[in-house]
Amino acid sequence: MRHLLEDENIDPFQIAQQAADQIADKSGVDEHQIALTLGSGWAKAADLLGETVSEIPAADIIGFSKPAVIGHGGTLRSIKLQNGKFALVIGARTHFYENHGVRAVVHSVRTAAKTGAKVMVLTNGAGGIRPEWAGGASVLISDHINLTASSPLEGANFVDLTDLYSKRLRAIAREVDSSLDEGVYVQFRGPHYETPAEVQMAKTIGGDIVGMSTALEAIAARESGMEILGMSLITNLAAGIQSTPLSHSEVIEAGQAAEARISKLLAEIVGKI
Ligand code: HPA
């Protein structure tokens, strides 16, 4: 089915505003201060953040579609944090590989900005290039390389991406866990995993993490004026770094094994933002 945001004649920012208005209406929360996209393995963090005051099926909100992949959630939750702030937890991610265009990919981020969020936390499950990250490391994203050959920005809109993944927020994360490593995230288009040669290329050009999300969302979040924290759960070592073939079930299982640990970590970090 064609996605609403594939219609070139509509204004994606207007749809994001409508989506934010619908969320305010249905949730009763006028303004969210922080938003989180929870990728593979991170979903349980929502339960630890605070008190859920509203949970809306994402498909009920304009511009959101049903999740394409089992294990990728599908709700928008408003959570009251202990410090009184409200978090919008996005459990519905549209991936670039779904072929609905980049506007659909970044709609959740633009909507989050319109709900008032000034901080965007982007999490994902990803492949690790550094062997020491075997076994489910969680890693702070320090920068990215966008290999999708696309951008969410339209027209001659020259947005600065220096310090895209906020140093301030990374420092807060390290206050919670000083052992957190950081690395450069390389977004491939997917949905196939990378070849070993592509992983070597990613390593050669400065990458540490390979995945299929996040970079395009981060660019849109910066355009919307948000501060960004990015975190990857290393669900597997990247193709050719590990000797065994990659599989989606391996990724899901690694996510489940790490879920309790990384959810607690993320909830503690969010509590300090
Ligand atoms: N590559 C790309 N995306 C992924 C991977 C990977 O190795 N693991 C989980 N998501």
Side-chain angles (χ1 to χ4, degrees), residues 170-231:
R170 276 184 276 151
I172 290 175
R174 279 214 202 75
E175 281 173 23
V176 174
D177 181 352
S178 59
S179 73
L180 280 172
D181 274 339
E182 59 181 38
V184 173
Y185 182 93
V186 184
Q187 181 174 0
F188 284 83
R189 182 192 174 284
H192 49 271
Y193 293 114
E194 301 73 31
T195 64
E198 287 165 344
V199 170
Q200 286 307 312
M201 176 192 74
K203 183 178 176 187
T204 303
I205 62 177
D208 304 292
I209 308 161
V210 290
M212 305 177 194
S213 67
T214 302
L216 294 170
E217 296 160 23
I219 295 168
R222 165 53 61 88
E223 178 193 30
S224 296
M226 290 190 280
E227 200 179 3
I228 298 143
L229 176 68
M231 289 188 79

Side-chain angles (χ1 to χ4, degrees), residues 35-145:
L36 300 94
T37 297
L38 299 181
S40 307
W42 297 89
K44 284 260 157 58
D47 298 331
L48 305 178
L49 286 172
E51 177 202 348
T52 297
V53 296
S54 155
E55 183 158 16
I56 308 166
D60 289 358
I61 301 295
I62 189 166
F64 286 82
S65 44
K66 294 214 164 58
V69 182
I70 297 165
H72 279 177
T75 69
L76 302 170
R77 263 164 92 164
S78 298
I79 296 180
K80 188 168 186 190
L81 307 179
Q82 266 159 18
N83 59 18
K85 291 183 187 171
F86 284 93
L88 179 69
V89 175
I90 301 161
R93 186 176 238 150
T94 299
H95 289 85
F96 193 56
Y97 58 69
E98 291 172 51
N99 274 332
H100 294 305
V102 69
R103 284 178 168 186
V105 172
V106 301
H107 177 62
S108 60
V109 166
R110 287 182 173 151
T111 299
K114 298 284 192 192
T115 70
K118 299 282 182 284
V119 169
M120 185 75 229
V121 179
L122 297 169
T123 64
N124 58 57
I129 295 180
R130 305 231 296 255
E132 67 268 27
W133 290 342
S138 37
V139 178
L140 295 167
I141 300 176
S142 58
D143 203 346
H144 79 221
I145 296 172

